Amino acid sequence: MDAGIYREQIIDLYEHPLNYGQLEPADFSYEEDNPLCGDVIRIDVRLDAEQRVAEILWSGDGCAISQAAASLLTEEIKGQTLAELKAFPAERLLELVGVPLSMARVKCALLSLKVLKAGAYGIPDPDTMRGHE
Amino acid sequence: MDAGIYREQIIDLYEHPLNYGQLEPADFSYEEDNPLCGDVIRIDVRLDAEQRVAEILWSGDGCAISQAAASLLTEEIKGQTLAELKAFPAERLLELVGVPLSMARVKCALLSLKVLKAGAYGIPDPDTMRGHE
Amino acid sequence: MYDIERVRADFPILATEVYPGVPLVYLDSAASSQKPAVVIEAMADYYRRYHANVHRGVHRLSEMATTAYEGARVRVAEFIHAAAPEEIIFVGNATEGFNLVAQSWGRANVGPGDEILLTEMEHHANLVPWQMLAAERGATLRYLPFNDDGTLALERLGDFLTERTKLFSFTAVSNVFGTINPVRELVDAAHAAGALAMVDAAQSVPHMPVDVRALDCDFLAFSSHKMCGPTGIGVLYGKRQLLEAMPPFLGGGDMIRRVTFDGFIPNELPWKFEAGTPRIAEAIGLGAAVAYLSALGMDAIHAHEQAITAYALESLSELPGLRLLGPPGTQHGGLAAFTLEGAHPHDIAEILDKDGIAIRAGHHCAMPLHHKLGVNASARASFYVHTTTDEIDKLVAGLHRVRELFRLERD
Amino acid sequence: MYDIERVRADFPILATEVYPGVPLVYLDSAASSQKPAVVIEAMADYYRRYHANVHRGVHRLSEMATTAYEGARVRVAEFIHAAAPEEIIFVGNATEGFNLVAQSWGRANVGPGDEILLTEMEHHANLVPWQMLAAERGATLRYLPFNDDGTLALERLGDFLTERTKLFSFTAVSNVFGTINPVRELVDAAHAAGALAMVDAAQSVPHMPVDVRALDCDFLAFSSHKMCGPTGIGVLYGKRQLLEAMPPFLGGGDMIRRVTFDGFIPNELPWKFEAGTPRIAEAIGLGAAVAYLSALGMDAIHAHEQAITAYALESLSELPGLRLLGPPGTQHGGLAAFTLEGAHPHDIAEILDKDGIAIRAGHHCAMPLHHKLGVNASARASFYVHTTTDEIDKLVAGLHRVRELFRLERD
Ligand SMILES: Cc1ncc(COP(=O)(O)O)c(C=O)c1O
Ligand SMILES: Cc1ncc(COP(=O)(O)O)c(C=O)c1O
């Protein structure tokens, strides 16, 4: 059988994530889920005096792709400035993940980046539960 | 060309309708239209002491089929009792019209009978205009 | 050059016989158009090779179906020059587009004393939803009149657009008169009065180039089945910021971002307005129809229809007792509605049918228009990409036979 | 005897390959079923030979189309044993059926303090429309709980059905648990409490005999695309006297008897609820699907699926770490939803897909159910007329490979 997108590295990271955990306090924290698949990711960031990422941890629950991508992203982003982080290109993360993804799974791979940017921009949580009126 | 349902008799009756006009006063009168095609027919009936149709006139506007059928129906119904009139079978009118009709045109042919029966039963006009609420 | 014979060969139904030996002369495209083989085949191919439910599936078929469904949306967006595919909402037909706006935007924005402006030449689809809304919200409907020649009384627009007008909804092309209304001018007038503008494009999008950004309209609706596409699907276009502000219309799967027992959060555009399993095959068929029409060229289609229509109006006007409804000349969409002294439209349609000629008879879902004209019904021949002058000649010959049969020649 | 090979030959897609050399194993029928060739061909034939708009046309094509469209309604009515074709309303999908009842019947009959009873196992289609209605009318929604095994807590029904309950709307078969609910019993309980009963039959009508008169339900909704029919059409059944008393839902052509500038009079049933050009080809396709299913026999289909499901539940339960959702045993519709310790449903579905096996992963439009179970998502294999035990074996083998790939064999 073709392992497809489930290369060793992805499974390794799924089993042994990098930078997993939570920071208290953090300079910014953000959590979001992909309600369509239930994947949820939280990212906590501490910046240094020069507005560079000093510490970054992620936590959450989801599929191997979203989880591996979160490890790869947090690893890559260390030491970058807030400005760099805000401009971090989606293509770069897909490159890091390094396996061909279908449309539906691209969303999984990019969830952590979406969370990171939303946190960096200080976007209010769009998903605060409210009834429809 | 095949004249189809437009036999001589139909065209004759369209040009020279039978029992055309209005009765004032009448024992019962009823008017209804087929809103889908705009055909409208009114029938006025006077009964004798034995509840038989003494006089019957129709008026209206529409296609050759509905108009010819109205002539044929009113001709046929003369002298019948109110009970007979209420039970007058649709098939009999289609027989009188005597040409093969499509579904849509059957409605045209039967409009006068519908009006006659509604009048005989004293059904309130369903089509009194009102706005939707 | 517009190669009419090649176009005709694209439509399987044009090769059929209505009665033995009687070929079809289809002059009822304004009611619903016929379909080229590419459209029929696009849908059959979908069902044979890659049908699955969309959006929620990881597997290959679901991904293929999703790509095709969303690809159709992109094609439609490009076809009418929408700013983004999110502005294209797939609905059941044009009628549902009006209901969506009336119920979602209307309930949220129209109150007692507010006015909605329509015109006297509207199709029921652009009348009844507003009558329902007005009755519910205590709003008032006003109708811009038409002139004797079937054009709008534009000079009176100022009297009808007031500071109470919330929306002006009007047809781009009348399905009875054939009048081509000055859409951009009407949109601008609505905006100048502080109202929104909605366009009934059911008879324009199939027949001529339409650019929603050039028109600057706020909403626009049309039906797939009148433009070589399948039944069961229509399009509502809306400006993004308006659609975003609107509450949902129908609730269910796909239109939600999240649901709990206590409530739900709507999804993003365009899915917010598409509840439940969407019209997947239908969107794919519509996408194929849009590709087909684009390949012919909307300018070429319009030019062809203008030529056919001019020929038809000319030929018909020579028939004694025939009264043409609508404006003469070139500002006339691809149809001709008429009455014939001494013969009812239903009888006309039935007699023509025996010659294989399909025309429509009735009020064409525009009862108030007919009532104002003082006629119960009219006959209507309508034209499309495949109509020939030869077919117009057959229509005219058929009408002569109607006059004979009804003994009108003597007059 | 149920000849599975002949049935499989009816479905063109079952002969295709998902990837080169990898044949399709379609286990996602609960999301949307595949289509037999007769259904695909019925629609193509319509477009090739007799497409036209319905109801309003005198010409031959329009008459043929009308006959076929209304004939499909009769077939559907007979299929579910409705008292009359007028009780069958064609809508866009099951979801629209719930919205129609919520907006038409609901707005007219549900007020502040009134209650609508649902269950905790409902699909979003049977949740969101009522949440919208309740928010608008100030009504309260209540949810009959499910037990750990995915059956309804029937013994608590008495607490939930009160004199304030106006409607009890529930699913006949859960699209996640597979639970076959005791519909008649629930309908009777609703009626005894003075409430109406609406049935979500999206997962029952395709899979087993359904008799609306035997069930005595007031409303019932289902989708064509889950029962071998096309997308873009669904059915709302309603008891005639209820439908007659309800105000219109969408406004436009066909649903009116008469229109003036001042208002309109709705048409008779069923057209009162079908605004604009209807889903003609889709109804014809659904009619063909109903004929196809009837020829196989709904009892035979149900028996086949029961056998396949029993085999699947048995086989799956042997996989280490696999947790089956829903009740064990024969009271289980044709599907199996599960989680697998150590592997996310999306990853499972993706890995199986590479073997050509199509299953669904996610919340299956039942987020509140999953939330209550404490899982974000589940995997679901679902079965239909063409499913074989061989395909179940492939599923199980695929799941073993998932465990290998995710290094779960060691556990
Ligand atoms: C139980 C149940 N109800 C309702 C629906 C909604 O069906 P549709 O999306 O076709 O409206 C589905 C299918 O998704 C279902 O499984
Ligand atoms: C001008 C116009 N508007 C709206 C409609 C409604 O289209 P549909 O019935 O497809 O919703 C039609 C066609 O009947 C039309 O001609």
Side-chain angles (χ1 to χ4, degrees):
Chain A
M1 188 204 50
D2 173 17
I5 63 175
Y6 297 92
R7 309 253 169 89
E8 287 290 315
Q9 187 206 19
I10 301 289
I11 304 290
D12 283 344
L13 287 171
Y14 187 55
E15 278 196 277
H16 309 290
L18 307 174
N19 313 313
Y20 195 90
Q22 302 194 352
L23 288 173
E24 306 270 359
D27 287 313
F28 63 84
S29 294
Y30 198 74
E31 176 173 324
E32 199 174 305
D33 66 351
N34 178 347
L36 290 184
C37 60
D39 288 8
V40 48
I41 283 186
R42 165 177 166 162
I43 297 189
D44 300 318
V45 176
R46 240 177 247 152
L47 301 172
D48 64 17
E50 288 153 349
Q51 293 284 80
R52 285 178 190 281
V53 174
E55 281 177 276
I56 178 164
L57 290 183
W58 74 274
S59 53
D61 182 34
C63 69
I65 300 300
S66 72
Q67 308 289 292
S71 287
L72 292 163
L73 175 67
T74 48
E75 197 63 9
E76 180 79 3
I77 218 81
K78 278 182 200 165
Q80 295 202 0
T81 63
L82 194 58
E84 279 170 328
L85 183 160
K86 284 180 179 173
F88 193 93
E91 296 70 37
R92 177 75 190 118
L93 179 53
L94 294 179
E95 236 173 77
L96 288 171
V97 174
V99 292
L101 293 174
S102 70
M103 235 164 41
R105 305 315 296 282
V106 162
K107 282 191 197 150
C108 304
L110 296 181
L111 177 59
S112 50
L113 184 60
K114 200 174 153 199
V115 169
L116 181 67
K117 289 196 181 181
Y121 280 105
I123 290 168
D125 185 346
D127 232 357
T128 315
M129 210 54 214
R130 55 174 159 83
H132 166 67
E133 9 108 90
Chain B
M1 188 201 50
D2 172 17
I5 63 176
Y6 297 93
R7 309 251 169 93
E8 288 290 312
Q9 186 206 21
I10 301 288
I11 304 291
D12 282 343
L13 287 171
Y14 187 55
E15 278 195 279
H16 309 288
L18 309 173
N19 313 313
Y20 196 89
Q22 302 193 352
L23 289 172
E24 306 269 1
D27 286 310
F28 63 86
S29 294
Y30 199 74
E31 175 173 324
E32 200 176 305
D33 66 352
N34 177 348
L36 291 183
C37 61
D39 288 8
V40 47
I41 283 187
R42 166 176 166 165
I43 298 189
D44 301 317
V45 175
R46 238 179 249 151
L47 300 172
D48 65 17
E50 289 153 351
Q51 292 287 80
R52 287 179 189 276
V53 175
E55 282 178 273
I56 178 164
L57 291 185
W58 73 274
S59 53
D61 182 35
C63 68
I65 300 300
S66 70
Q67 308 289 292
S71 287
L72 292 162
L73 175 66
T74 47
E75 197 63 9
E76 180 79 4
I77 219 79
K78 278 184 199 162
Q80 296 204 358
T81 63
L82 194 56
E84 281 170 325
L85 183 160
K86 284 180 180 174
F88 194 91
E91 297 69 38
R92 177 75 190 119
L93 181 52
L94 294 178
E95 239 175 74
L96 289 170
V97 174
V99 293
L101 293 175
S102 70
M103 235 166 40
R105 305 313 297 282
V106 162
K107 284 191 196 147
C108 302
L110 296 181
L111 178 59
S112 50
L113 184 60
K114 200 172 152 200
V115 170
L116 180 67
K117 289 196 182 181
Y121 280 104
I123 290 170
D125 186 346
D127 232 356
T128 315
M129 213 50 214
R130 55 174 159 82
H132 166 65
E133 11 108 273
Chain C
M1 246 302 289
Y2 193 83
D3 185 345
I4 185 77
E5 283 313 317
R6 277 191 56 182
V7 171
R8 289 182 66 82
D10 294 334
F11 291 79
I13 208 168
L14 296 183
T16 63
E17 293 181 344
V18 183
Y19 301 102
V22 181
L24 174 63
V25 175
Y26 190 73
L27 298 177
D28 197 19
S29 294
S32 195
S33 83
Q34 296 301 341
K35 322 302 171 199
V38 285
V39 167
I40 304 169
E41 198 38 53
M43 291 186 286
D45 179 56
Y46 163 69
Y47 284 129
R48 285 193 205 109
R49 286 204 306 115
Y50 63 102
H51 168 68
N53 214 327
V54 293
H55 296 147
R56 289 160 290 181
V58 169
H59 59 76
R60 178 91 183 110
L61 293 184
S62 181
E63 192 184 335
M64 287 170 76
T66 306
T67 304
Y69 179 68
E70 294 302 334
R73 194 192 307 278
V74 172
R75 276 191 182 171
V76 171
E78 286 169 357
F79 189 61
I80 62 166
H81 304 276
E86 292 78 37
E87 297 183 328
I88 302 298
I89 313 294
F90 287 131
V91 289
N93 48 26
T95 301
E96 189 178 335
F98 291 99
N99 282 278
L100 194 163
V101 176
Q103 300 205 10
S104 170
W105 175 86
R107 282 213 180 97
N109 290 283
V110 175
D114 286 342
E115 291 180 6
I116 291 168
L117 179 59
L118 308 170
T119 84
E120 286 181 348
M121 64 169 71
E122 297 309 316
H123 186 280
H124 296 164
N126 194 23
L127 292 174
V128 181
W130 309 115
Q131 292 181 341
M132 289 169 71
L133 175 69
E136 181 185 321
R137 309 291 303 168
T140 302
L141 299 185
R142 303 194 66 192
Y143 299 92
L144 183 68
F146 58 76
N147 305 311
D148 285 346
D149 67 353
T151 58
L152 286 174
L154 296 174
E155 69 289 354
R156 299 189 51 196
L157 196 49
D159 307 339
F160 285 85
L161 276 170
T162 73
E163 70 282 3
R164 287 184 303 279
T165 314
K166 288 284 187 156
L167 175 79
F168 180 20
S169 187
F170 58 89
T171 192
V173 176
S174 160
N175 70 320
V176 181
F177 293 136
T179 324
I180 301 178
N181 289 319
V183 175
R184 173 71 205 227
E185 190 183 318
L186 296 173
V187 170
D188 286 347
H191 288 169
L196 296 185
M198 175 156 193
V199 178
D200 180 348
Q203 299 292 350
S204 63
V205 165
H207 300 286
M208 57 191 71
V210 169
D211 180 331
V212 290
R213 276 181 295 170
L215 296 177
D216 198 27
C217 53
D218 300 292
F219 301 108
L220 177 142
F222 56 97
S223 277
S224 155
H225 70 91
K226 292 187 203 278
M227 55 188 288
C228 295
T231 58
I233 189 167
V235 172
L236 173 69
Y237 158 83
K239 282 183 184 162
R240 183 203 287 265
Q241 73 277 20
L242 288 169
L243 293 175
E244 263 167 5
M246 280 155 59
F249 171 47
L250 305 180
D254 271 27
M255 59 68 71
I256 52 88
R257 179 169 164 78
R258 195 196 284 269
V259 181
T260 68
F261 289 127
D262 298 323
F264 69 95
I265 297 178
N267 203 341
E268 288 160 27
L269 287 178
W271 306 294
K272 174 166 103 177
F273 291 112
E274 294 180 2
T277 301
R279 302 154 167 100
I280 311 171
E282 289 73 17
I284 290 169
L286 174 57
V290 160
Y292 177 77
L293 293 174
S294 303
L296 291 185
M298 292 309 295
D299 280 315
I301 290 170
H302 189 52
H304 172 70
E305 286 185 29
Q306 290 289 93
I308 290 289
T309 306
Y311 183 80
L313 295 178
E314 174 95 20
S315 311
L316 289 171
S317 62
E318 281 161 19
L319 269 146
L322 189 139
R323 172 187 171 199
L324 278 165
L325 311 182
T330 49
Q331 273 308 79
H332 199 296
L335 59 84
F338 56 89
T339 56
L340 186 62
E341 182 78 44
H344 189 279
H346 267 192
D347 295 321
I348 298 173
E350 173 118 14
I351 292 167
L352 292 177
D353 176 64
K354 292 297 168 293
D355 293 336
I357 305 167
I359 68 157
R360 192 129 297 230
H363 51 60
H364 322 303
C365 286
M367 286 178 116
L369 176 156
H370 280 85
H371 192 246
K372 180 173 168 181
L373 291 180
V375 298
N376 282 330
S378 63
R380 181 186 71 189
S382 56
F383 320 124
Y384 207 17
V385 292
H386 44 65
T387 310
T388 63
T389 50
D390 187 49
E391 291 180 312
I392 304 297
D393 293 343
K394 284 185 180 165
L395 168 67
V396 173
L399 291 171
H400 277 296
R401 276 193 297 275
V402 171
R403 300 195 75 248
E404 250 167 68
L405 213 53
F406 274 77
R407 303 166 191 165
L408 304 171
E409 290 304 341
R410 290 165 266 168
D411 305 355
Chain D
M1 246 301 288
Y2 194 81
D3 184 345
I4 184 79
E5 284 313 317
R6 275 191 59 181
V7 171
R8 290 181 67 81
D10 294 334
F11 290 80
I13 208 168
L14 296 182
T16 63
E17 295 181 344
V18 183
Y19 301 102
V22 181
L24 174 65
V25 176
Y26 190 72
L27 299 177
D28 197 19
S29 294
S32 194
S33 83
Q34 297 301 341
K35 321 301 171 201
V38 284
V39 168
I40 304 170
E41 199 38 50
M43 291 187 286
D45 180 55
Y46 163 68
Y47 284 129
R48 284 192 207 109
R49 285 204 307 117
Y50 63 101
H51 167 69
N53 215 327
V54 293
H55 295 147
R56 289 161 290 182
V58 169
H59 59 76
R60 178 90 183 112
L61 293 184
S62 180
E63 191 183 337
M64 288 171 76
T66 305
T67 304
Y69 179 68
E70 294 301 335
R73 195 191 308 277
V74 172
R75 277 193 181 171
V76 170
E78 286 169 357
F79 189 60
I80 62 167
H81 305 275
E86 292 78 37
E87 297 182 326
I88 302 298
I89 313 292
F90 287 130
V91 290
N93 49 26
T95 301
E96 190 177 334
F98 292 98
N99 282 278
L100 195 163
V101 176
Q103 300 204 10
S104 170
W105 176 86
R107 285 214 178 97
N109 289 284
V110 176
D114 287 341
E115 292 179 4
I116 291 167
L117 180 59
L118 308 169
T119 86
E120 287 182 345
M121 62 169 75
E122 297 309 317
H123 185 280
H124 296 165
N126 194 22
L127 292 174
V128 181
W130 310 116
Q131 292 182 341
M132 289 169 71
L133 175 69
E136 182 185 320
R137 309 291 303 167
T140 303
L141 299 185
R142 303 194 66 191
Y143 298 92
L144 183 68
F146 57 77
N147 304 312
D148 285 348
D149 68 352
T151 57
L152 285 175
L154 296 174
E155 69 289 354
R156 298 188 52 197
L157 197 49
D159 307 340
F160 285 85
L161 276 171
T162 72
E163 70 282 3
R164 286 184 302 279
T165 314
K166 288 285 189 156
L167 176 78
F168 180 21
S169 186
F170 58 89
T171 193
V173 176
S174 160
N175 69 319
V176 181
F177 293 135
T179 323
I180 301 177
N181 289 319
V183 176
R184 173 70 204 228
E185 189 182 320
L186 297 173
V187 169
D188 285 347
H191 288 169
L196 296 186
M198 176 158 192
V199 178
D200 180 349
Q203 299 292 351
S204 64
V205 165
H207 300 286
M208 58 191 70
V210 170
D211 180 331
V212 290
R213 273 179 297 170
L215 295 177
D216 198 28
C217 54
D218 300 292
F219 300 108
L220 178 142
F222 56 97
S223 277
S224 154
H225 70 91
K226 293 187 203 278
M227 53 189 289
C228 295
T231 58
I233 188 165
V235 172
L236 172 68
Y237 158 83
K239 283 184 184 162
R240 184 204 286 264
Q241 74 277 22
L242 289 167
L243 293 175
E244 264 169 3
M246 282 156 57
F249 171 48
L250 304 180
D254 271 24
M255 58 69 71
I256 52 87
R257 179 167 164 79
R258 194 196 287 265
V259 181
T260 68
F261 291 127
D262 297 321
F264 69 94
I265 296 177
N267 203 341
E268 286 159 30
L269 287 178
W271 308 293
K272 175 167 104 177
F273 291 111
E274 296 180 1
T277 302
R279 302 152 166 100
I280 311 169
E282 290 72 18
I284 290 170
L286 174 56
V290 159
Y292 177 76
L293 293 173
S294 303
L296 291 186
M298 292 311 295
D299 281 313
I301 291 170
H302 189 51
H304 171 69
E305 286 185 28
Q306 289 290 93
I308 290 288
T309 307
Y311 183 80
L313 295 177
E314 174 93 22
S315 312
L316 288 170
S317 62
E318 281 161 20
L319 269 146
L322 189 139
R323 172 187 171 200
L324 278 166
L325 311 181
T330 49
Q331 270 310 76
H332 200 298
L335 59 87
F338 56 89
T339 57
L340 187 62
E341 182 79 45
H344 189 279
H346 266 194
D347 295 322
I348 298 172
E350 174 118 15
I351 292 166
L352 292 177
D353 176 63
K354 293 295 167 293
D355 293 337
I357 305 166
I359 67 156
R360 190 128 302 227
H363 51 61
H364 321 302
C365 288
M367 286 179 117
L369 177 156
H370 279 84
H371 191 247
K372 179 173 169 180
L373 291 179
V375 298
N376 282 330
S378 63
R380 183 186 70 190
S382 56
F383 320 126
Y384 207 18
V385 292
H386 45 63
T387 310
T388 63
T389 52
D390 187 50
E391 291 180 312
I392 305 296
D393 294 342
K394 284 185 179 166
L395 168 67
V396 173
L399 290 170
H400 278 294
R401 277 194 296 276
V402 170
R403 299 195 75 250
E404 248 168 69
L405 213 54
F406 273 79
R407 304 166 190 163
L408 301 172
E409 290 305 340
R410 292 164 265 168
D411 304 355

